[in-house]
Amino acid sequence: MDDIARLAKVSKPTVSRALQDSPLVNAATKERIIAIAVKHGYSVNRNAQRLRTRRSSIIAVVLHLPQQSGRAVAAPFIFQLLADVSRALSIRNQDLLLCSAESDEAHAYERMLASKGVDGFIFLGQGTNGAWLSELAKTNAPFVVWGAVDDTQPYCAVGSDNLAGGVLAGRRFAQLGRTRALFIGNRAHAEMDLRRRGLEAGLKEGRSIAAVIDLEIADFSYETAYQAMKEKLAGKRAQFDAVFAGSDIVAMAALVALREAGLRTPEDVSVIGYNDIPFAAHVSPPLTTIRQDTHQAGALLVEKLFQILDGARPKSVTLPTELIVRQT
C-alpha cells in the first residue's frame, strides 16, 4: 500500500479509503489509485484486514427449512430470500457461511462465535417452536430472524405482514362470492397461523358467511400437499369452493388434485397461494397469490444485523404484502 501511495502521489490512508470505495475520496483520485493498483497486481489482504478490525467478515446464514417428507426440498421462496441476503452481504464485502439448523440450542451458536468463525447470524425461518431463539437472545450472540414478527419477541425479526396477507385472500374470496374456504397449511408455524387467522378475518370483513375448513399437512412439499388434497377429494363432492394455500408450492399441488377430481379452477374452486415465487405466473392457470418482497427483506436483514454488530438495538420490521390477481 505504501508503494501504491507513492506512485499515486497520495497518502496511505487515501489509498486505503479508495480501495474500500469510500465516498471521502473523489472519483478522479479513486479511479487513478485503482488503476495503479490493478496495473501492479495489488489486492487487499482480507486476512490482515480481519485481524485489524477484529471481525471475520463472515456472516452465518442458517436455513431453518420446514420439515420435508418428500425426497426433494421444496422451498423456492427461502432460496430466493437467501439469494437476496447474499446480494446484500456482497455489497458490504462480507462472506456468507451457509448452515443448516441441525441444533436449536443456543450454545451451538455461541461456540461458533467464540471460535471467531463468524460475526453474527441470519436465521431464515423460526421453525415450529421459537423458544430456542428467545434463549439465544439471552446471550451476546448478534442475530436477526426472518419470520413472524411479534412485539413480545426479545430479538429483532423481519417478516411480511402474514395476517394482512391472509386478510387480502379472505377479502378476495368474499368478493368472488365464495362461501366455503379450505386452508391448507400447518398452524404450528407462527407465519401459517397468522395467514389462517387473516383469512377468516378477511372473509368477515367482506361480509361473507363463509366457513373455514382446515387441512393440516405435515410439511410443505408438493408431494405431501398433493396427497392430502387427493384424499380430501376422494369419492365425495368438494366441501369447499375456495382454497387458500400456505405457500405457492402447496397451491400448485392443489391445482393438480382439483383438476384430476374433475373440478375447474376458478369456475368451481378459486385458489390463492402465498409468496409469488417465479413459477406462480407460469403454471396453468396462472396462480393468484400473495407477494412477499424478498429483495427488501434481504437488504433489511443484513442492515439490522450490522446495526446490532455496531452496538444498536434495532426494532423488528413488518413488510407489506400484496395480492397478485391472476387466473385462479
Side-chain angles (χ1 to χ4, degrees):
M1 195 179 288
D2 285 328
D3 292 334
I4 301 300
R6 177 175 52 79
L7 291 168
K9 296 182 171 60
V10 296
S11 67
K12 186 176 175 180
T14 299
V15 173
S16 177
R17 293 190 188 103
L19 295 175
Q20 294 181 57
D21 199 23
S22 169
L24 297 175
V25 181
N26 69 62
T29 302
K30 191 183 299 181
E31 189 175 328
R32 187 171 83 256
I33 291 170
I34 291 173
I36 292 171
V38 170
K39 179 182 177 181
H40 293 274
Y42 176 82
S43 62
V44 176
N45 187 320
R46 292 288 295 277
N47 289 329
Q49 190 178 58
R50 289 166 179 170
L51 286 171
R52 189 167 61 252
T53 60
R54 297 186 180 181
R55 286 188 182 176
S56 68
S57 296
I58 301 172
I59 301 300
V61 177
V62 184
L63 293 185
H64 219 293
L65 293 169
Q67 182 183 354
Q68 304 279 159
S69 60
R71 287 175 295 176
V73 175
F77 172 78
I78 287 292
F79 292 123
Q80 181 60 53
L81 180 57
L82 172 62
D84 286 312
V85 167
S86 176
R87 187 177 297 112
L89 287 172
S90 69
I91 291 171
R92 289 178 175 265
N93 294 316
Q94 301 294 304
D95 292 329
L96 183 155
L97 176 66
L98 188 60
C99 305
S100 61
E102 295 180 357
S103 173
D104 287 346
E105 296 180 2
H107 67 81
Y109 300 107
E110 287 184 283
R111 283 200 303 269
M112 289 181 70
L113 287 169
S115 68
K116 304 297 183 184
V118 299
D119 295 326
F121 303 94
I122 297 175
F123 293 99
L124 300 186
Q126 294 159 306
T128 56
N129 179 7
W132 63 279
L133 288 168
S134 296
E135 287 300 310
L136 186 60
K138 295 176 183 177
T139 72
N140 292 322
F143 71 94
V144 293
V145 179
W146 167 263
V149 176
D150 184 336
D151 291 338
T152 64
Q153 291 166 342
Y155 54 84
C156 179
V158 176
S160 74
D161 196 334
N162 292 283
L163 187 68
V167 169
L168 289 171
R171 286 177 185 162
R172 179 63 177 169
F173 288 147
Q175 180 186 357
L176 295 170
R178 300 306 185 182
T179 60
R180 291 159 295 154
L182 176 72
F183 177 76
I184 313 176
N186 186 328
R187 297 183 71 178
H189 293 262
E191 291 171 291
M192 292 290 166
D193 184 58
L194 287 168
R195 293 169 196 178
R196 165 62 171 77
R197 285 160 49 192
L199 170 66
E200 199 157 23
L203 288 165
K204 289 177 181 177
E205 277 186 24
R207 304 192 178 212
S208 172
I209 58 171
V212 178
I213 307 165
D214 288 290
L215 179 57
E216 287 278 317
I217 52 178
D219 60 68
F220 308 116
S221 68
Y222 181 95
E223 296 91 338
T224 297
Y226 169 75
Q227 191 59 40
M229 273 297 286
K230 195 171 179 180
E231 291 173 6
K232 186 76 174 173
L233 294 164
K236 54 188 173 185
R237 183 180 173 186
Q239 302 170 325
F240 49 86
D241 55 12
V243 171
F244 182 36
S247 76
D248 288 340
I249 290 294
V250 171
M252 291 173 192
L255 286 174
V256 173
L258 287 167
R259 184 165 58 245
E260 290 178 354
L263 294 167
R264 300 167 299 163
T265 303
E267 292 87 353
D268 299 320
V269 181
S270 296
V271 177
I272 297 178
Y274 208 102
N275 292 330
D276 193 28
I277 62 175
F279 309 128
H282 304 292
V283 294
S284 181
L287 182 66
T288 296
T289 185
I290 307 296
R291 175 177 291 167
Q292 302 189 90
D293 188 342
T294 61
H295 183 71
Q296 186 179 10
L300 275 170
L301 285 164
V302 172
E303 174 63 27
K304 295 290 182 180
L305 179 60
F306 275 85
Q307 288 177 15
I308 294 170
L309 290 171
D310 290 336
R313 299 185 65 182
K315 293 182 178 180
S316 295
V317 177
T318 301
L319 301 175
T321 47
E322 179 184 3
L323 175 67
I324 305 301
V325 177
R326 295 194 177 103
Q327 295 178 26
T328 60

